[in-house]
Amino acid sequence: MRAISQGVLGAALAALVAMGVGVAAAAGTAAGAVGEVPGEAVGETVGEETGEAAGEVAGVEVDLAHHGHVSLWDGRIGLWLVTENHGPSDVADATVRLAFSVPMAGGQELPPGCLWSSARVVSCRTGALPDGGEAGELALRLRTAGRPQELTVEVSTAWRAGGVDRNSVNDRHRVLVLATGDPYVF
């Protein structure tokens, strides 16, 4: 019964994350999605009536940042992450996406607010982030499906409750992690 309720909760949270990304992407925000409109260069004017450039919309400006470290040893991963909002506006909620280059072993439980999006992707809710505030530390201890000698972890913001982040450099990281047990900082 618990597995069913976790599955339902996971599906609901995944739908909310997808809806947030889909709605934001449809509205033209940079809600974690990367890509270009075919035939248009990024930053090109969308329409004379609106005066907005591609990727720009009216909304609160935020600056989310993800920092932490990740280790790999004997088929185990330890990941510690803190999400901060450098402002200038508050964020009602956000979702961080952690994508691994290798699949994780099945049957692992995640902390509250996190769900498996696939065997390689974990999505975690940060909660409200006031201007100048941070979310508590997120700690994940996972097992890989095998014992890789290395893997990559991609950390990115999947959703930011309608906020516009013009500085996505500090909320997107790709980290190569060797199976040495050493912490790789991002």
Side-chain angles (χ1 to χ4, degrees):
M1 182 69 172
R2 184 174 179 179
I4 292 173
S5 64
Q6 284 181 338
V8 171
L9 176 62
L13 187 54
L16 286 173
V17 169
M19 257 189 341
V21 170
V23 169
T29 65
V34 177
E36 298 179 15
V37 177
E40 293 184 358
V42 174
E44 230 176 80
T45 301
V46 173
E48 293 179 356
E49 300 85 31
T50 63
E52 295 176 346
E56 292 182 19
V57 297
V60 298
E61 185 172 343
V62 299
D63 183 13
L64 297 185
H66 307 295
H67 298 289
H69 62 276
V70 60
S71 298
L72 173 65
W73 70 98
D74 197 30
R76 298 185 182 278
I77 297 172
L79 187 140
W80 296 267
L81 172 84
V82 173
T83 299
E84 300 170 298
N85 177 13
H86 298 293
S89 301
D90 297 345
V91 176
D93 203 355
T95 304
V96 62
R97 180 179 183 269
L98 308 165
F100 301 93
S101 63
V102 299
M104 299 295 114
Q108 299 180 74
E109 289 197 31
L110 296 172
C114 294
L115 65 90
W116 289 102
S117 298
S118 74
R120 296 176 188 226
V121 178
V122 175
S123 298
C124 295
R125 180 176 178 244
T126 65
L129 295 163
D131 174 19
E134 67 181 42
E137 183 179 74
L138 171 66
L140 293 177
R141 294 184 188 268
L142 302 172
R143 292 181 324 278
T144 60
R147 291 190 177 185
Q149 294 302 304
E150 66 181 37
L151 60 80
T152 58
V153 180
E154 292 184 23
V155 179
S156 62
T157 301
W159 183 67
R160 65 181 75 79
V164 177
D165 189 342
R166 299 186 200 301
N167 178 21
S168 63
V169 173
N170 57 0
D171 73 337
R172 293 177 182 261
H173 306 282
R174 185 176 184 152
V175 185
L176 174 63
V177 185
L178 303 178
T180 61
D182 295 323
Y184 290 83
V185 177
F186 56 90

